[in-house]
Amino acid sequence: MTPKQKELVQKSWEKVLPIAPQAAEIFYRTLFEMDPSLKPMFKGDIVEQGKKLMTMLDTAVKSLDNLENLIPAVEKLGVRHYEYGVTDIDYQVVGAALLSTLEQGLGKAFNASTKKAWTAVYTTLSTIMINAANEAKSKHGNTLSSTEIQPAMNNDTQDQGSFIQAALEQSNTPFMMIDRD
């Protein structure tokens, strides 16, 4: 993930924020259309889940310039997602749903460079989660594969770290960056 890609993601995210409720609705509708088997993983009010999703994405996007502070929280989420039964295919579907949501929400502003940037960011963060899950799973003899995330996506300071960690842990939303319960 290059500095230019981070910038493109952050600038395009600023355009999503005003339509955050609609973007969340599009995301979940798209996700469940792509893979209805994921719906049972999401407990509770989907509108509330959407609010948490948008808050979590906002935190992650704003933290891209300080990945060293974001990584520990993302790793913990990866382990939790392993415990929930999330698979590598689920990460692919979520990534595809995210890109579709951004394309629908941003329209022409979601050009090839912006899509490539979002793909790089999602691939980086989801790979961190998968690697953390693999480390946890090594005790059980299972592994997730991070090698297929990129192709699937192409188809279609300590205080700050504590804040990010708390925000991620409190979100409880089932996005591969977000907890589900």
Side-chain angles (χ1 to χ4, degrees):
M1 166 173 45
T2 68
K4 180 64 175 171
Q5 288 173 326
K6 290 178 192 178
E7 180 184 347
L8 282 170
V9 166
Q10 290 166 334
K11 285 187 176 185
S12 62
W13 181 248
E14 290 173 12
K15 295 175 183 172
V16 173
L17 285 174
I19 60 162
Q22 295 87 351
E25 181 182 339
I26 293 167
F27 172 80
Y28 286 113
R29 183 178 62 243
T30 303
L31 181 66
F32 300 146
E33 286 172 0
M34 289 179 166
D35 189 347
S37 73
L38 294 177
K39 195 168 188 172
M41 294 178 116
F42 294 77
K43 313 254 189 271
D45 180 14
I46 202 69
V47 173
E48 187 62 30
Q49 294 278 22
K51 290 176 186 175
K52 293 174 183 178
L53 170 66
M54 292 297 116
T55 299
M56 191 47 45
L57 284 171
D58 189 52
T59 300
V61 168
K62 289 177 178 175
S63 300
L64 290 176
D65 293 323
N66 297 301
L67 270 180
E68 65 279 354
N69 292 325
L70 182 61
I71 288 172
V74 174
E75 290 172 332
K76 284 185 180 183
L77 285 171
V79 171
R80 276 192 256 164
H81 280 86
Y82 156 67
E83 293 167 355
Y84 300 147
V86 173
T87 69
D88 58 331
I89 300 297
D90 299 334
Y91 284 91
Q92 293 176 41
V93 175
V94 168
L98 176 63
L99 290 178
S100 179
T101 299
L102 292 165
E103 183 174 24
Q104 290 176 59
L106 295 171
K108 292 180 182 181
F110 193 68
N111 58 32
S113 297
T114 303
K115 181 178 182 177
K116 185 176 180 180
W118 274 97
T119 300
V121 167
Y122 182 79
T123 300
T124 298
L125 296 175
S126 61
T127 298
I128 292 167
M129 292 178 73
I130 289 171
N131 289 342
N134 282 338
E135 190 173 319
K137 289 168 67 168
S138 68
K139 297 174 186 171
H140 304 288
N142 297 326
T143 59
L144 286 174
S145 170
S146 63
T147 59
E148 295 186 32
I149 293 173
Q150 181 73 30
M153 296 290 294
N154 285 338
N155 286 341
D156 151 353
T157 23
Q158 188 66 17
D159 289 337
Q160 183 181 11
S162 297
F163 169 78
I164 293 167
Q165 175 105 16
L168 289 169
E169 288 176 353
Q170 291 174 7
S171 74
N172 296 328
T173 301
F175 178 67
M176 296 308 118
M177 280 285 304
I178 301 165
D179 206 356
R180 69 177 174 103
D181 288 331

